[in-house]
Every structure is written in structure tokens, then in C-alpha cells.
Amino acid sequence: MAGARGAGCATAATGARPGKRPPEPEPVPEPEELSLLCAPALSLGDGRDSGLSDSEESVFSGLEDSGSDSSADTTAEEENGASGDENHSGMEKTTGQQAETSSPRTEEMRVQGGDEYAEDSSDEEDVRNTVGNVPLEWYDDFPHVGYDLDGKRIYKPIRTRDELDQFLDKMDDPDYWRTVQDRMTGRDVRLTDEQVALVQRLQRGQFGDVSFDPYEPAVDFFSGDLMIHPVTNRPADKRSFIPSLVEKEKVSRLVHAIKMGWIQPRRPRDPTPTFYDLWAQEDPNAVLGRHKMHVPAPKLALPGHAESYNPPPEYLPSEEERLAWEQQEPAERKLNFLPRKFPSLRAVPAYGRFIQERFERCLDLYLCPRQRKMRVNVDPEDLIPKLPRPRDLQPFPTCQALVYRGHGDLVRCLSVSPGGQWLASGSDDGSVRLWEVATARCMRTVPVGGVVRSVAWNPHPTICLVAVAVEDAVLLLNPALGDRLVVGSTDQLLSGFTPPAEPALQPAHWLEASEEERQEGLRLRIRHGKPVTQVTWHGRGDYMAVVLAAPGHTQVLIHQLSRRRSQSPFRRSHGQVQRVAFHPVRPFLLVASQRSVRLYHLLRQELTKKLMPNCKWVSSLAVHPAGDNVICGSYDSKLVWFDLDLSTRPYRVLRHHKKALRAVAFHPQYPLFASGSDDGSVIVCHGMVYNDLLQNPLLVPVKVLRGHVLTRDLGVLDVAFHPTQPWVFSSGADGTIRLFT
């Protein structure tokens, strides 16, 4: 019935087209119902409403629907004469009208056979909206979007579908991805495979035409070779044989200009060169004017007594002096002439070298560049940096106070207790000695059975432990010195450990000491399987870091005393590790390799900074008590100071030593740092670090301490400061430990 209503409305509006059988009339509805039924019919662009003739109808009958309603398809197929009986029967079923016979016109077109527009490929078929190149935003407030070829409105499609319907279409319709909306008509258009391929080629930056070859070889039609059949063999024009009237007019104009004097003939060039003043155009009032920058020629020295025609007798050379003057080179002679004596000025002959000296004088004036130098009155003492006097920087150690003797071989390492009362030292004689600082008395000797590489006293004041690095093990000794309560609490702390039920796999083995070893002070033994070169404690006294002399990522191990657990913090190696040190304030670990110092954040497990000391081989490392400055010594006799807040490059490089540096150390309280070298000296420097970040540290060397005797080309092997006093300890290759106060 919908098709019948549409046909009825169209018939009522415009009447039946000639040559078509008019549809059967229907009862006329009410006026309001009529307007509602006719509204969709107006949006169809069918040919029944246009009133065109048969010839005009054939021009536009090939067009598909121009509107938005689906009934327009049946109307267009009805107008197309080549659609066949099936299309007619489908149209009749849609409209509800049971037509018995077709019109004679339709039968006639069917007899002719085939679609007369099947091969029509005019551009007019593709044009839907004929409003032209106007903004479509003008139609936002209207129900239509433009007009078709017949001048009828193209109504916008009624879109009542929500996002859920669109999502269902997207899931159900396999061609949803290639469906686009035509902005000219508002309809959804499905792209063909050729159009999709064209879009993909354009997105890839290729040419739209598949058959176009941008790299086809160029054909050189016009070449320099004489060809039998040239590309162009056009005969010469007739105008090439006839005098040109345009050129005749140009020549007449030039002749007239020459006669009138407007065009002058070229004058022959003058071959003689022209000279001019280079500074003639200079501003005489300029600050850099020639007269102000003029430098007068230096005057000749006035003649002295030797140039006189009657010089004093002492200026006349003797015969030996004359012979010596003649044998000298001209550049070595003090005088370029020999003084002579004449009775009167009238008897003086002409000077033989007068012309030559005048010529040399002119060459000097001509070739010698002269420049006015603005002399700056600067006091040379102002260029020297103002360093404070050493007496103003006291206290610092100045003289040798005590010598600790007892070791039979070179003393490699030493460490001071947190209270400053005891001193531990390790030697190549296979023993660890414990000294009383104030009296230089050896309180205890612990044989360890190997070369002691490193000694470190636990910095915690309530723990009495000394870590000793011997061969492939770290020994934890309780020296049993000082407060008995501290000694007892240390043993109680170590004995209170309960091993876990399932021991975890660790890179080191913790072993309890036997009864005989406990009598000598040994409490724990940590086996590593590789030689240990250094051991150092964390500031809180529970962790210690160990350096192993082995390649690979297990060169640095960290042990926890309370839980007896060991771990390897690194996964890969960055070279041979020389020294490690804990940051005194932050959770940082400094690892010094041969050519660099790396700063690792232990909690984040990442590399924070990489310091480049520009040394050949780093030997020692020390961190300032405040934590913002680091010093490291090297075997090429350099001491490098780093400011961590400033740069990863050295702030200052000190070259005070003449041989390799073996050890560096900071004082815990005073602004002092010291370095020991193989030249047998200990240099103490004042290193003041200010709280003001804009003020650079003040580094002043204040004292050179000597006392160790060179043995096997080795001097000072380790230095350490007293924790509370401005004293420094040094251990040397001569088997002694010296205290400087």
C-alpha cells in the first residue's frame, strides 16, 4: 500500500506521464492524511512527477534514485525500458496494483532488446547533488541537502539509529569497514574493491593509476647526432629570407639615438694605472682614525764615544781585539764597525756602509708591523689566587709523634676504632696487631695465616668487631678491648642468630669459628672462593661490602651481619673493580673501576652517576662525611676531587705527589684530607666544603709529612685519620706505623 499511496500522491500532484498507463485511482484521503502521504513522494526523484516528454525522459531514465526513500528504486526501474518483465512484476507487487498488460511503449522498448544505457558512462550519471560548490553547512537547518537534476529536493535520510545499532551493524555487516557516508546526499556508499585499492595506494604515497610507471626510461627525441629521419624536418619559413621590418625599426631608432647624442660610443680604456689614497674616505673624527692610531717610527740610537772621529784611547781596539772582531760572525759582533782615530774632522773619509744601512733602515720601517698596545696596569700579585695562610687553617698534623713497631713485613692496611682508642693493622707477615693509640703498645697479635689485604673496624660504637680480609675469606674478630659490656653484647649479638630451616643459595659461605679460634678472638669466617682485596663497613655497622679479585659480575658482594646473608648486587661487570665505598648519608654505593667511578642507588637498583677522573688507573677512593664530594687517587700520581652537585668531571686535579698514590682519606670532623704515596710522603690538605651551594670548595695543601723509608720502591701504603683528633696514621712498606699530630 505504501507504493500505491506514493503513486497516488504523485498522480494527484502532477498527473500521469504520456506513454505510461496511469495507475488505478484510489479514494482521496483527508487533507492532513494527504500531506503526510505525499511528503515521502516528494523526496523521490522519479520521472513521473517531472512531466517530461519521451525523448527527455530517455536522457534521465538511466539515473538511479536521487532521493532517500527505498521506493525510488522501483520507480527508476519502472522508467528503465530494458529492465524486463521481472522488474515490472516486482514493481506491481510493491505498489499493490495488479496490472494485466504493460504499456505499448514498454513493449516496444523490450522488443528492441538490451539496455540502451548499459554502455553509457557519462559523468552525468555520477552526479547526484547539483547545488554546486557551496558549503553543505548551509543546509544544516533544512530537511533537504540539495537538489537533483530535475530540480527536486534531496531529503536527508532519517537517522534514528543509536550507537548500539551502529555497533550491531559493525559486528554483523562484513562490509561495514568499507562503507562511507556521501556528504552531498547523506547516504551510505559501499566502496568497491577498486576504490579501496586506490585509497590504500594513496595512503602509501603511491600513484593512483596502477599502470603509471614513474621510473620508465626517458626517450631522448632530440639528440646531437645527425639522423636520417629527424624528428622535425619542417622546411624553413619564408620570413627567414625576407628582411625583418621589426629589426629595421629597431635599427632606425638606434641610429636616431646616436645622432641625437643619447648613446655615446665606448671610450677606449686608459692602460695607465691609477693611484689613490686608501684612507681618503676615512672619517677624521673617528675614534680609530688614522691620525689617532699613528705610531711613530722608533728613533735611532744617538752615537756614542765609539762613533767619534777622535775617541778616547780605551775605545780603540788592540791588535788582538781587531783579529778577534774580524773572526766573529756579523751577528755576534757588539759593534758593526771598528773605532778609529783621525787627527781632524776634515780627514774623516766617507762611511762605506752608509747606503746599505740606510736601505736596511727603510726596510725596517716598511716591513716591521707596528701596533699600539694598550698597557693595562695590573698588579702581578692580583693575578695569584688569594689562598689563606696555613697557620690560619690550623689544626692539622704537623710532626711525627709516635712510631708503632712490631710487624715483620710491610703493613698494607690499618683502621682506627670508633672511639679512637685502639688501632688495628694488617701486614704481609700473616698477623693482625691491635695497638693502643696513646702509648703505641701492641695489645694483641692475632695470626691469620696469610697476607692481610684489608682491615676495617666496625663503625658502630656498640659493636666491637674487626673485619679482616685474608686470601679468600673475611674474618670477623672480636678484639675484646675496651668496655666489657660492649664486648659481651657483641658476642651475644652473634650467638643469637638462628639459621633458617631452608638455607638459601648464596655466593659466600658463613662458617662458625672453632673453640681454639674463639680463644684467639675469631667469631665468624666468610668464605668466598676468590681472593678478597678490600672490605668496608656501612655507617650503621650491619652491612659490609667486599671486593673480590676475579673477573665477572661477582666482584662486589654485600654481606648482612644480623641475618648472615650475602648477595651480589650487579648483573654484569664494567671492568676490574678497584675500590668500593658506602655513601655516609644516602643509600648509595660507589664502585671505582680502573677508569671511572660509578654511583649506584641501592634502593632503586639503578646507576645514578658516572664520574670520569681522567686517570689511567684509580687506586683509592674516599667519600666526604657530608656525602657531596669524593676524592680518588691514581697510580699516575693524581688526586682528583669531585663535586657531585657540580659535574661528573673533576672539580680539581692535584699533582703534589711524584709517584703513585696508594691511599686517600677524609677526616670525619675536621676539613682535612690526606693522601699517601710511594714517594714516602703524606700530604695533608685543607678541604673546606661550604653549605652555600654557590661557593666552591676551598682546597689548600698545608703540610707534607715524611718519615717512612722507601722499601722495594714502595712508600706509604695506607692512611687513616683519628675519628676525633686532627691526627693522621700512616702505614708503610718499612713495617712501621707512624702517628702525626
Side-chain angles (χ1 to χ4, degrees):
M1 286 299 294
R5 288 178 181 174
C9 292
T11 305
T14 60
R17 181 178 299 172
K20 300 280 187 176
R21 186 181 65 178
E24 297 180 3
E26 281 190 9
V28 179
E30 294 297 327
E32 183 178 358
E33 182 182 358
L34 176 64
S35 62
L36 293 175
L37 292 175
C38 294
L42 291 175
S43 64
L44 308 173
D46 57 355
R48 289 179 295 180
D49 301 352
S50 60
L52 300 175
S53 63
D54 292 341
S55 60
E56 294 173 340
E57 178 193 1
S58 63
V59 176
F60 303 105
S61 61
L63 289 174
E64 296 179 5
D65 53 349
S66 303
S68 60
D69 202 329
S70 62
S71 63
D73 296 340
T74 61
T75 310
E77 293 197 9
E78 180 185 357
E79 292 180 3
N80 195 343
S83 57
D85 294 331
E86 296 177 4
N87 295 339
H88 280 284
S89 62
M91 178 200 63
E92 289 168 0
K93 290 178 182 179
T94 307
T95 57
Q97 299 176 0
Q98 302 295 334
E100 297 180 358
T101 58
S102 302
S103 62
R105 174 103 180 148
T106 308
E107 292 291 339
E108 180 182 353
M109 294 178 64
R110 189 189 302 124
V111 170
Q112 294 177 1
D115 191 355
E116 61 175 317
Y117 300 110
E119 302 298 330
D120 192 3
S121 62
S122 63
D123 294 334
E124 295 295 336
E125 295 184 9
D126 299 332
V127 178
R128 297 291 183 272
N129 202 340
T130 60
V131 294
N133 189 14
V134 298
L136 294 179
E137 291 81 5
W138 294 357
Y139 292 94
D140 288 345
D141 299 333
F142 296 95
H144 60 283
V145 76
Y147 302 91
D148 59 0
L149 289 173
D150 297 336
K152 294 188 176 298
R153 295 179 178 179
I154 301 176
Y155 283 90
K156 300 176 183 177
I158 300 176
R159 298 188 178 274
T160 60
R161 307 176 66 83
D162 53 3
E163 295 183 359
L164 182 60
D165 295 335
Q166 294 179 4
F167 176 74
L168 293 177
D169 290 347
K170 183 177 181 181
M171 293 293 106
D172 297 339
D173 190 5
D175 295 334
Y176 182 83
W177 64 273
R178 62 166 69 195
T179 304
V180 297
Q181 183 182 3
D182 187 4
R183 296 181 70 251
M184 297 294 292
T185 61
R187 300 199 54 194
D188 293 337
V189 180
R190 176 183 174 276
L191 299 180
T192 62
D193 294 340
E194 293 79 5
Q195 293 171 339
V196 172
L198 175 61
V199 172
Q200 292 176 352
R201 284 196 302 272
L202 295 179
Q203 287 179 344
R204 291 194 298 264
Q206 300 176 356
F207 289 93
D209 191 2
V210 184
S211 60
F212 179 72
D213 184 14
Y215 306 108
E216 60 183 2
V219 180
D220 190 7
F221 292 101
F222 298 92
S223 63
D225 302 334
L226 186 61
M227 305 171 65
I228 301 176
H229 302 289
V231 179
T232 58
N233 197 10
R234 187 168 56 86
D237 295 330
K238 182 181 178 181
R239 61 174 176 266
S240 62
F241 303 100
I242 301 176
S244 175
L245 297 178
V246 179
E247 294 179 358
K248 178 182 177 182
E249 185 177 356
K250 288 183 179 180
V251 171
S252 62
R253 289 179 182 175
L254 293 175
V255 171
H256 178 66
I258 292 174
K259 288 181 179 180
M260 296 299 293
W262 299 337
I263 298 179
Q264 296 291 338
R266 293 181 179 177
R267 296 179 182 177
R269 287 189 175 183
D270 189 5
T272 58
T274 57
F275 303 99
Y276 59 93
D277 187 4
L278 183 63
W279 294 277
Q281 303 297 329
E282 203 173 57
D283 186 9
N285 297 325
V287 178
L288 301 178
R290 188 184 180 194
H291 64 286
K292 293 189 178 183
M293 293 301 294
H294 174 67
V295 180
K299 295 182 180 180
L300 288 175
L302 295 177
H305 294 293
E307 284 86 352
S308 174
Y309 74 95
N310 187 12
E314 59 269 16
Y315 285 91
L316 296 175
S318 61
E319 191 65 26
E320 293 81 4
E321 293 175 347
R322 184 187 299 272
L323 293 176
W325 183 86
E326 291 176 353
Q327 292 176 359
Q328 284 181 341
E329 294 291 333
E332 297 177 356
R333 297 170 180 170
K334 291 184 179 181
L335 298 174
N336 55 0
F337 65 94
L338 284 176
R340 295 171 59 186
K341 186 175 183 178
F342 298 95
S344 62
L345 186 60
R346 187 177 298 176
V348 176
Y351 183 42
R353 299 184 68 253
F354 176 75
I355 300 297
Q356 183 179 359
E357 286 188 357
R358 291 295 95 188
F359 179 69
E360 292 177 355
R361 169 72 174 171
C362 293
L363 284 182
D364 291 340
L365 296 178
Y366 166 58
L367 295 176
C368 179
R370 294 187 297 277
Q371 180 183 5
R372 182 187 299 273
K373 289 187 177 181
M374 306 300 293
R375 300 189 65 179
V376 182
N377 295 326
V378 178
D379 189 2
E381 295 182 356
D382 295 341
L383 301 178
I384 302 175
K386 297 293 183 182
L387 294 178
R389 293 179 298 177
R391 65 166 62 180
D392 299 334
L393 303 177
Q394 289 180 345
F396 54 84
T398 56
C399 60
Q400 178 178 309
L402 291 175
V403 179
Y404 303 79
R405 301 183 186 274
H407 282 292
D409 205 341
L410 53 88
V411 184
R412 289 188 177 271
C413 49
L414 53 89
S415 178
V416 190
S417 65
Q421 185 180 2
W422 315 104
L423 174 68
S425 63
S427 172
D428 280 7
D429 58 4
S431 65
V432 174
R433 289 180 177 262
L434 302 171
W435 312 81
E436 188 178 11
V437 171
T439 61
R441 184 169 60 126
C442 181
M443 304 298 295
R444 194 170 183 179
T445 302
V446 180
V448 293
V451 176
V452 180
R453 297 287 180 179
S454 178
V455 171
W457 207 296
N458 194 307
H460 201 280
T462 62
I463 300 177
C464 185
L465 274 182
V466 177
V468 181
V470 180
E471 295 179 351
D472 65 339
V474 173
L475 310 180
L476 296 181
L477 305 177
N478 189 346
L481 297 176
D483 193 353
R484 294 182 180 179
L485 295 178
V486 175
V487 174
S489 64
T490 302
D491 288 339
Q492 187 178 0
L493 173 66
L494 295 178
S495 61
F497 171 74
T498 57
E502 296 181 359
L505 184 62
Q506 298 186 122
H509 301 285
W510 295 69
L511 304 176
E512 291 282 353
S514 61
E515 287 299 329
E516 295 82 3
E517 293 174 339
R518 292 184 68 88
Q519 295 297 328
E520 297 178 356
L522 181 61
R523 295 295 183 265
L524 284 175
R525 185 189 302 268
I526 308 174
R527 289 282 183 184
H528 300 84
K530 299 174 184 177
V532 181
T533 58
Q534 185 204 359
V535 57
T536 179
W537 288 94
H538 188 264
R540 296 183 180 178
D542 191 25
Y543 290 90
M544 60 179 170
V546 174
V547 178
L548 306 180
H553 65 281
T554 58
Q555 299 183 63
V556 180
L557 299 180
I558 296 180
H559 303 304
Q560 186 177 5
L561 180 62
S562 60
R563 302 175 63 180
R564 298 190 186 180
R565 190 175 60 179
S566 304
Q567 57 181 334
S568 176
F570 303 114
R571 294 182 180 176
R572 57 193 182 99
S573 172
H574 293 282
Q576 186 67 32
V577 177
Q578 304 297 315
R579 290 280 165 177
V580 296
F582 284 102
H583 196 279
V585 181
R586 300 177 183 175
F588 290 159
L589 179 67
L590 287 89
V591 180
S593 59
Q594 292 182 3
R595 305 297 293 271
S596 63
V597 179
R598 286 177 167 83
L599 187 65
Y600 293 97
H601 198 293
L602 294 176
L603 296 181
R604 299 177 186 171
Q605 298 181 2
E606 63 181 9
L607 177 65
T608 304
K609 284 185 180 180
K610 181 182 178 182
L611 309 178
M612 302 302 296
N614 296 332
C615 299
K616 293 182 179 180
W617 197 308
V618 176
S619 63
S620 51
L621 178 71
V623 188
H624 192 270
D628 292 335
N629 296 271
V630 176
I631 58 174
C632 60
S634 66
Y635 289 119
D636 52 353
S637 67
K638 293 180 184 177
L639 189 146
V640 184
W641 178 291
F642 285 100
D643 191 342
L644 298 182
D645 295 333
L646 185 64
S647 171
T648 59
R649 298 287 177 179
Y651 164 68
R652 188 73 58 82
V653 178
L654 306 178
R655 297 181 177 86
H656 299 147
H657 289 284
K658 297 180 181 179
K659 290 187 179 181
L661 271 76
R662 294 286 177 176
V664 292
F666 273 109
H667 197 285
Q669 295 181 1
Y670 291 94
L672 298 174
F673 65 95
S675 60
S677 171
D678 279 344
D679 57 5
S681 64
V682 177
I683 296 182
V684 180
C685 299
H686 177 88
M688 173 61 74
V689 177
Y690 300 95
N691 293 328
D692 187 6
L693 295 179
L694 298 178
Q695 192 169 0
N696 293 328
L698 175 64
L699 309 181
V700 182
V702 292
K703 189 65 177 176
V704 179
L705 304 173
R706 302 183 186 276
H708 288 280
V709 180
L710 297 183
T711 305
R712 304 179 225 167
D713 287 336
L714 298 177
V716 180
L717 299 180
D718 198 4
V719 293
F721 277 100
H722 194 276
T724 57
Q725 300 295 329
W727 301 346
V728 64
F729 300 89
S730 65
S731 64
D734 55 357
T736 62
I737 302 170
R738 299 176 187 266
L739 170 62
F740 299 93
T741 62

